[in-house]
Amino acid sequence: MCAIFGVGSHKEASKITYLGLHALQHRGQEGAGIVSTTDGEPHVCRRKGHVAEVFTESALNRLHGSAAIGHTRYSTTGGNTMANLQPLLMKSSFGWVGIAHNGNLVNAAALTQKLEAEGSIFQSTNDTEVIIHLMARSRERDPERALIEALRQVEGAYSLLVLVKDKLIAVRDPYGFRPLVLGEFLGGPVFASETTAFDLVGAAYKREIAPGEMVVVPLEAPKNMVSTFPFEKTLKRRCVFEAIYFARPDSVLYDQSVHTMRKDFGRVLADEHPALGADVVIPVPDSGVPAAIGFAERSGIPFDMGIIRSHYIGRTFIEPGQAIRDFGVKLKLNPVREAIQGKKVVVVDDSLVRGTTSKKLIKHLRDTGGAKEVHVRISAPPTAYPCFYGIDTPTRSELLASSHSIEKIRDYIGADSLGYLSLDGLLKSISLKSGEGFCHACFSGEYPTPI
Ligand code: AMP
């Protein structure tokens, strides 16, 4: 998970980055940071908390310079500690390096062990630090070539923004697991995890950074940016779960509208698992809304907002941890009695992971909302395998679908019926113009890399 944002040529680069991170807050709420540079010197601010809390006006005023990179964190590797907050900023023989990473390296543990055995001292438990150590050990004196050499040794998911004294570098791993997009802002380049950040700052979306692409922006002449493909070619495997749940619906992901993709998932879901005779389709807000609209449109069953989500819970309830998740559901979601009382209700959600949300919510819909029947429709296939590429999924034993049939899951969550979108149906409705493929390991167990 996590978000990255970077700008190479703006006199208020850190303020633009701060705004960009605001739009990307949904990708990580544990902490945030910015590294900026002026006259070849770096400035850094990193703290735990939401973007709005981390960057006070005085903190932003200290982040001078016309280039900056930023990060919001959701820990997948390494705990939620100060040392693990990003962008990392470290010194090496070729100067300082700031690095912001979205993704997860699958061979980080093995590389860390090897590097430690050879004398490296790690400051964090963050897999991103491996990249800096590998860069520092490179014989290359140019940070760009050292970065390429380092990245050729790592395996897994990385969308990276790297800032050094005279360059901003954007790079995406050859599989293209995590998103990364390029925009244009006042004639210079800007990078973000999602296009919604461009909308906020007023930048124009140009294109995806392609899987395996590296874009180097010279800070002295940002318009002279250079794109190369320095890695061995491999199958492209963009993350399908970004389209299902993670990205914001107002973003353009893989050159398609997330909102439209999700409505399409709902339409196909209605074909595959119609809820004949139901009275109303309601989404689990916010992430279930587009799929529920699609389901209602295709099935002809009226749509209503039968559940209201509180937006004032704060980050405590979206941090990892079963105990927190359990009691968070009621605080977060409440039924609208007038919309569902005495009705046969279709509840559309984007995914079912541990089943905690659905189980508690269905009971709440019956007990508090007075629903007569509750039919659950999930706009994704059963999540049966953990993600090792940067989405925070629990271990296999905690994933309900790894060990339970759909009928058992239905019984556990207490639904009258349960239907999941099939993997075929999902892939049919999201196909890329280029014909390139997706990573759907969380549903199929087909991991594109050795784990
Ligand atoms: P669960 O209660 O574990 O079944 O979680 C299902 C709910 O969590 C769904 O409403 C999803 O929208 C949401 N969800 C799915 N994947 C994730 C994730 N990786 N992190 C946080 N929430 C998620």
Side-chain angles (χ1 to χ4, degrees):
M1 297 164 77
C2 302
I4 55 177
F5 184 94
V7 59
S9 60
H10 192 280
K11 60 181 189 322
E12 291 184 298
S14 59
K15 286 187 180 156
I16 298 301
T17 302
Y18 161 77
L19 290 175
L21 294 180
H22 250 293
L24 301 172
Q25 182 75 79
H26 62 291
R27 298 183 68 89
Q29 300 89 22
E30 291 177 8
I34 291 177
V35 168
S36 69
T37 181
T38 176
D39 301 327
E41 286 306 311
H43 311 281
V44 61
C45 172
R46 268 185 318 239
R47 286 196 200 117
K48 285 189 184 183
H50 285 186
V51 174
E53 303 155 1
V54 169
F55 303 105
T56 56
E57 203 171 344
S58 62
L60 280 174
N61 286 336
R62 284 194 295 272
L63 289 164
H64 304 288
S66 60
I69 58 172
H71 186 269
T72 66
R73 176 164 176 80
Y74 192 121
S75 56
T76 48
T77 300
N80 180 21
T81 63
M82 276 299 289
N84 280 337
L85 294 177
Q86 294 198 28
L88 297 182
L89 176 64
M90 290 190 179
K91 269 201 155 162
S92 76
S93 53
F94 48 71
W96 58 269
V97 182
I99 183 164
H101 175 201
N102 176 206
N104 206 35
L105 307 179
V106 291
N107 64 343
L111 285 171
T112 303
Q113 256 180 20
K114 182 171 164 277
L115 288 163
E116 281 181 337
E118 291 167 8
S120 293
I121 298 169
F122 280 76
Q123 292 179 12
S124 73
T125 53
N126 200 317
D127 59 346
T128 313
E129 197 183 336
V130 172
I131 297 172
I132 294 191
H133 282 273
L134 291 172
M135 281 178 80
R137 293 161 65 94
S138 168
R139 296 230 166 114
E140 299 284 0
R141 293 317 341 132
D142 174 64
E144 181 188 328
R145 285 203 293 277
L147 178 64
I148 294 171
E149 194 182 301
L151 293 178
R152 283 185 179 146
Q153 298 170 68
V154 305
E155 186 84 59
Y158 53 85
S159 283
L160 293 179
L161 292 175
V162 178
L163 190 62
V164 293
K165 69 176 187 327
D166 56 354
K167 284 175 196 160
L168 170 61
I169 305 170
V171 56
R172 190 170 175 202
D173 72 70
Y175 295 95
F177 286 111
R178 307 259 66 85
L180 186 60
V181 285
L182 168 69
E184 190 180 304
F185 187 45
L186 304 176
V190 54
F191 303 92
S193 296
E194 293 184 34
T195 63
T196 183
F198 296 160
D199 294 344
L200 195 152
V201 303
Y205 168 53
K206 288 293 171 194
R207 62 176 179 86
E208 256 192 290
I209 299 298
E213 183 178 6
M214 176 182 263
V215 175
V216 179
V217 180
L219 299 184
E220 283 295 304
K223 282 186 185 149
N224 299 342
M225 65 176 190
V226 176
S227 156
T228 56
F229 288 82
F231 311 110
E232 220 171 277
K233 276 219 163 79
T234 183
L235 293 171
K236 313 282 188 281
R237 289 290 178 262
R238 291 166 174 87
C239 169
V240 81
F241 199 63
E242 290 272 354
I244 292 166
Y245 166 77
F246 204 39
R248 258 173 63 155
D250 52 340
S251 280
V252 174
L253 177 77
Y254 315 146
D255 279 331
Q256 304 176 59
S257 149
V258 174
H259 179 71
T260 306
M261 282 194 274
R262 289 186 188 161
K263 281 210 305 194
D264 287 344
F265 300 158
R267 286 197 188 94
V268 179
L269 182 60
D271 290 340
E272 292 184 345
H273 298 283
L276 302 175
D279 301 308
V280 65
V281 175
I282 65 168
V284 179
D286 295 323
S287 50
V289 172
I293 294 172
F295 191 104
E297 274 177 16
R298 175 77 82 173
S299 62
I301 303 168
F303 172 92
D304 207 347
M305 289 300 288
I307 302 168
I308 296 301
R309 174 179 171 177
S310 165
H311 290 97
Y312 306 102
I313 294 172
R315 66 184 185 281
T316 322
F317 299 99
I318 34 180
E319 277 181 355
Q322 181 67 23
I324 290 168
R325 249 174 241 270
D326 271 354
F327 90 100
V329 173
K330 261 185 155 179
L331 280 161
K332 188 165 162 184
L333 302 169
N334 198 42
V336 179
R337 228 167 268 113
E338 291 63 31
I340 65 171
Q341 196 156 36
K343 291 185 180 166
K344 297 177 185 170
V345 178
V346 182
V347 181
V348 180
D349 201 358
D350 60 88
S351 55
L352 207 150
V353 184
R354 294 176 176 85
T356 318
T357 308
S358 297
K359 188 177 173 67
K360 290 182 177 278
L361 179 63
I362 291 167
K363 189 167 182 314
H364 206 24
L365 291 174
R366 293 190 203 276
D367 294 354
T368 314
K372 190 163 136 204
E373 290 177 15
V374 181
H375 302 270
V376 174
R377 297 293 180 268
I378 305 292
S379 61
T383 308
Y385 301 87
C387 177
F388 297 105
Y389 307 116
I391 296 279
D392 177 47
T393 39
T395 56
R396 198 132 196 245
S397 61
E398 289 174 275
L399 291 171
L400 209 49
S402 73
S403 53
H404 293 71
S405 66
I406 292 180
E407 174 51 24
K408 284 245 172 70
I409 296 174
R410 184 206 60 73
D411 186 53
Y412 172 76
I413 63 175
D416 292 286
S417 73
L418 170 64
Y420 286 92
L421 181 62
S422 70
L423 185 56
D424 275 356
L426 170 68
L427 296 177
K428 239 187 315 188
S429 49
I430 195 189
S431 60
L432 296 170
K433 278 190 216 106
S434 60
E436 292 167 352
F438 289 96
C439 175
H440 41 70
C442 50
F443 308 129
S444 63
E446 291 167 24
Y447 295 102
T449 66
I451 299 297

